[in-house]
Amino acid sequence: MLLPSLGYGQELTTSAYPSEDELYEALLRNEITYEEFNDIRDLLERGVDSLSQHLWDIIPNLSPFANLPVSRTTLLVNEQATPFRNKSIAQRHIDYKHTYQTQIVDEPVSKYISSLRVDLSRNWSALVTTKREFSGRERLMRRYVAFHNKEGLLREMIVGSFSRRLGLGSVVGYRGKLLNYSDRLGRETILFPDYGGSNGLFLKLVKDNLRIDMLSSVQRDANHSLTTHAVQIMHQTKQTKVYLIGAINKVDRRATSLSFDNSALAVGSSYNYSNGKFWFESSWQFDNRLDPVALIIEGRHNLKNAEILYAGWVYGDSYVDLSGDSKAGNMTRRLDLENVDLRYSNKRTGVEGGMVKTVLEPVSGWQVVTSAVISSLNKDTINGQLLTAIVRKISPQWSIRLDHLNKTRHRADDNVNVDDVNRRTRFETKYSSGNSVIRAYIAYLTASGKDDRLAFFIRWHIKTASLGKIDVWSNMARLNAREGMINYWYVYIDNSQRINSSMSTGVKVSHRYNRRSSDKHLTTVTLELRVTL
């Protein structure tokens, strides 16, 4: 088992990721893990819509704050959330998007992602997404046929790739990738795409105050398969929801007859009151006996000049993390299902913790924002995060922000206490006027065992009548404060234009300087075409 690391559970950050490129830059700077990179990249490609609000939990700093309709929000949260909001175009029956990217090196390599969404009728739609990496791996990412209806018994049916959370997700939700994927287009990737959600069938039935959700999912790679069947029965009114969830997971070792079976049961309820909402869920898993394995609470409370959002979680040592996506701490470790020889990533088993965020508006034009996350594992590892910010709206165009982010990991190892501390203090200013938006900041960063660093960032986004949308980004993320030496600098210029009512194009040129890389300088060109009919 590997030592826990700062994972993505409920992660706090002041960074924004406009595209996969900037997400990858964060990975290179060790701001996110590889697992986090994969899951967030999925969401950049698919977007978050009204039926998948639970996916905000995966994106750093946006859980549970981006999806609350009455929530007081901040400029930072809006910028962080914008790239992930579903980008489908209303009143269009066909939406095709193709993005091609090449690196300017001695032996050029390229990758692409291509997505086609078709509205077959008023209630039916279909989607397919394919992708090829720089490495040459090419596969299907998602495909589905979906039915949606606001009336009648059958409200939703999806065949193919989908993500739905039942209750608060301690039993079923967006788990993230548990198994590998086929690295070439063919029958295997068509049947089992490279997607971190479910793969199979989902049904939602509604009759008066009764709602039933059912799903079946099958995923597999060359060595293992995972089968999940689940049902949720809910009684709902305008003020309350009460539900029962049952699920069965089975992991098979394909080369043998060995398997691992895991069944789960959950009960939960939510209550809406005049100033907020409270939600709780408790679940049990079957392994020769019925063990209580999880308790999750979540809610918000509105005051006259403030809003409080909170969540808490307790997972038992016997919790098996195969299909859930409920809130958890920022800890990721590897565990083994020994009887089927599967090592998998886990961020819930044995973890306890909570989070709270307050948005206070003491007087007009001022915001005081505080976010805190704490999580512990086996009492000897504690991860804590605290983000505080003061935001001042100087005028309709100008705002300034001062924030401080502190991340601490405490670990007791062989009677020796080890503390890793990372701190980041920023001063930011933002100007917005008509078609032009400029955001810039200077940051001072410290980390245990490393030299202090400075960071300088500026982004300018402008809309023009003749040249379309222009986005300029410069992030000097690592300037050694002691030596005055630039270690990392990433810049890009992005231009997108609408050719006519049905077609738009985009061109992006980026350049990365990384002093510690074998390829210190790397230039990438991205071309994009979108057609809507």
Side-chain angles (χ1 to χ4, degrees):
M1 182 180 70
L2 299 179
L3 290 173
S5 62
L6 283 173
Y8 66 86
Q10 311 305 318
E11 187 78 7
L12 302 180
T13 185
T14 54
S15 298
Y17 312 117
S19 73
E20 181 182 332
D21 298 333
E22 290 67 55
L23 186 65
Y24 182 66
E25 297 302 315
L27 175 66
L28 293 180
R29 297 192 301 269
N30 295 319
E31 293 180 6
I32 59 175
T33 66
Y34 185 70
E35 180 185 57
E36 181 179 6
F37 169 77
N38 280 328
D39 288 340
I40 300 176
R41 179 176 60 176
D42 272 357
L43 303 191
L44 278 169
E45 294 164 356
R46 79 178 299 278
V48 180
D49 57 27
S50 60
L51 299 175
S52 57
Q53 296 289 296
H54 59 282
L55 295 175
W56 291 120
D57 279 354
I58 298 173
I59 307 168
N61 210 52
L62 297 186
S63 167
F65 318 123
N67 63 335
L68 297 176
V70 299
S71 173
R72 294 179 175 91
T73 187
T74 65
L75 296 174
L76 176 63
V77 166
N78 282 332
E79 182 166 352
Q80 290 173 325
T82 296
F84 297 92
R85 300 195 191 280
N86 188 274
K87 306 174 182 65
S88 61
I89 299 177
Q91 307 301 323
R92 296 302 175 98
H93 298 294
I94 299 176
D95 187 357
Y96 173 73
K97 182 179 178 181
H98 183 83
T99 303
Y100 173 85
Q101 189 174 89
T102 184
Q103 292 181 342
I104 310 302
V105 292
D106 293 338
E107 297 182 4
V109 292
S110 64
K111 69 176 184 179
Y112 79 85
I113 181 169
S114 186
S115 178
L116 173 65
R117 185 182 187 277
V118 180
D119 288 333
L120 304 173
S121 68
R122 184 174 65 91
N123 301 109
W124 290 89
S125 62
L127 176 140
V128 60
T129 301
T130 59
K131 186 172 187 178
R132 185 186 70 208
E133 303 288 357
F134 285 127
S135 63
R137 293 184 172 183
E138 191 172 23
R139 76 276 193 198
L140 203 67
M141 299 293 292
R142 295 169 65 217
R143 79 283 179 264
Y144 67 72
V145 176
F147 171 85
H148 295 91
N149 194 13
K150 296 180 180 180
E151 300 175 343
L153 177 65
L154 179 60
R155 299 297 177 89
E156 185 178 9
M157 180 176 70
I158 306 175
V159 179
S161 308
F162 64 91
S163 175
R164 292 294 180 268
R165 172 187 281 179
L166 303 186
L168 287 179
S170 65
V171 174
V172 172
Y174 182 93
R175 166 61 175 77
K177 296 181 179 67
L178 184 73
L179 306 179
N180 293 318
Y181 60 87
S182 176
D183 59 0
R184 58 192 179 95
L185 287 175
R187 178 178 178 273
E188 192 69 12
T189 189
I190 293 174
L191 294 175
F192 307 99
D194 178 27
Y195 180 59
S198 300
N199 178 54
L201 173 68
F202 174 79
L203 297 172
K204 181 169 77 172
L205 309 175
V206 178
K207 179 65 174 178
D208 298 326
N209 291 333
L210 182 65
R211 169 178 164 179
I212 300 176
D213 299 84
M214 297 179 287
L215 68 85
S216 291
S217 173
V218 180
Q219 302 175 34
R220 78 180 187 192
D221 59 16
N223 299 314
H224 299 90
S225 66
L226 169 64
T227 304
T228 301
H229 303 291
V231 61
Q232 173 182 255
I233 301 174
M234 175 186 293
H235 182 272
Q236 55 188 359
T237 66
K238 290 183 178 180
Q239 205 169 30
T240 63
K241 294 179 181 178
V242 180
Y243 58 87
L244 174 69
I245 302 171
I248 299 174
N249 289 308
K250 183 178 182 180
V251 179
D252 289 299
R253 175 72 174 172
R254 297 183 64 188
T256 69
S257 59
L258 297 177
S259 65
F260 175 84
D261 297 294
N262 174 254
S263 301
L265 180 71
V267 295
S269 179
S270 67
Y271 175 70
N272 293 316
Y273 57 96
S274 58
N275 292 324
K277 179 178 182 178
F278 177 78
W279 198 335
F280 87 91
E281 180 172 301
S282 181
S283 63
W284 297 260
Q285 290 184 348
F286 298 85
D287 185 9
N288 297 324
R289 66 182 189 276
L290 185 63
D291 289 330
V293 293
L295 175 65
I296 301 100
I297 63 169
E298 183 177 331
R300 73 173 188 267
H301 184 76
N302 300 311
L303 302 173
K304 182 179 180 181
N305 296 317
E307 184 171 31
I308 304 171
L309 305 103
Y310 58 89
W313 51 87
V314 178
Y315 297 96
D317 293 333
S318 57
Y319 182 86
V320 181
D321 191 8
L322 294 178
S323 59
D325 79 336
S326 48
K327 286 182 171 59
N330 58 331
M331 294 179 171
T332 302
R333 56 176 176 162
R334 297 280 178 176
L335 295 179
D336 295 301
L337 293 179
E338 296 180 354
N339 54 329
V340 290
D341 193 26
L342 174 65
R343 167 165 270 210
Y344 68 103
S345 176
N346 184 308
K347 61 176 181 177
R348 294 180 178 85
T349 302
V351 173
E352 302 176 0
M355 65 186 307
V356 62
K357 178 176 182 176
T358 61
V359 182
L360 171 66
E361 298 179 354
V363 294
S364 177
W366 287 86
Q367 277 188 333
V368 180
V369 184
T370 304
S371 302
V373 180
I374 188 168
S375 198
S376 66
L377 173 65
N378 298 331
K379 310 302 181 183
D380 58 4
T381 300
I382 301 175
N383 287 357
Q385 303 176 72
L386 178 64
L387 174 59
T388 57
I390 299 175
V391 184
R392 171 71 168 120
K393 188 78 171 177
I394 300 175
S395 70
Q397 294 80 31
W398 285 96
S399 67
I400 58 175
R401 173 184 172 113
L402 178 65
D403 59 45
H404 179 76
L405 175 61
N406 187 97
K407 295 185 178 184
T408 303
R409 185 181 70 172
H410 172 82
R411 186 176 74 250
D413 187 14
D414 295 331
N415 297 321
V416 177
N417 292 328
V418 179
D419 291 292
D420 293 324
V421 182
N422 291 267
R423 297 186 177 95
R424 176 172 176 164
T425 304
R426 301 186 321 146
F427 176 76
E428 176 181 293
T429 182
K430 188 170 185 177
Y431 172 81
S432 178
S433 177
N435 294 323
S436 181
V437 178
I438 301 175
R439 182 171 71 95
Y441 69 73
I442 179 173
Y444 183 74
L445 301 90
T446 64
S448 300
K450 297 181 181 179
D451 290 337
D452 294 353
R453 293 167 292 158
L454 293 171
F456 297 92
F457 172 89
I458 186 169
R459 185 184 187 184
W460 180 32
H461 188 81
I462 185 171
K463 298 179 182 178
T464 68
S466 58
L467 297 177
K469 299 178 182 179
I470 300 174
D471 190 11
V472 180
W473 173 292
S474 173
N475 186 14
M476 188 185 298
R478 290 178 180 172
L479 174 63
N480 189 297
R482 181 171 57 86
E483 299 177 355
M485 183 178 296
I486 298 174
N487 292 327
Y488 198 98
W489 195 353
Y490 172 75
V491 298
Y492 76 69
I493 181 169
D494 187 352
N495 175 231
S496 58
Q497 297 192 51
R498 179 159 290 281
I499 306 302
N500 53 44
S501 61
S502 301
M503 182 182 297
S504 61
T505 62
V507 178
K508 178 179 180 180
V509 180
S510 63
H511 184 82
R512 178 202 313 141
Y513 169 74
N514 187 351
R515 190 169 67 90
R516 297 181 179 178
S517 173
S518 56
D519 297 322
K520 292 185 178 181
H521 293 273
L522 181 63
T523 300
T524 302
V525 178
T526 304
L527 306 176
E528 181 177 291
L529 171 67
R530 187 168 192 176
V531 178
T532 57
L533 300 173

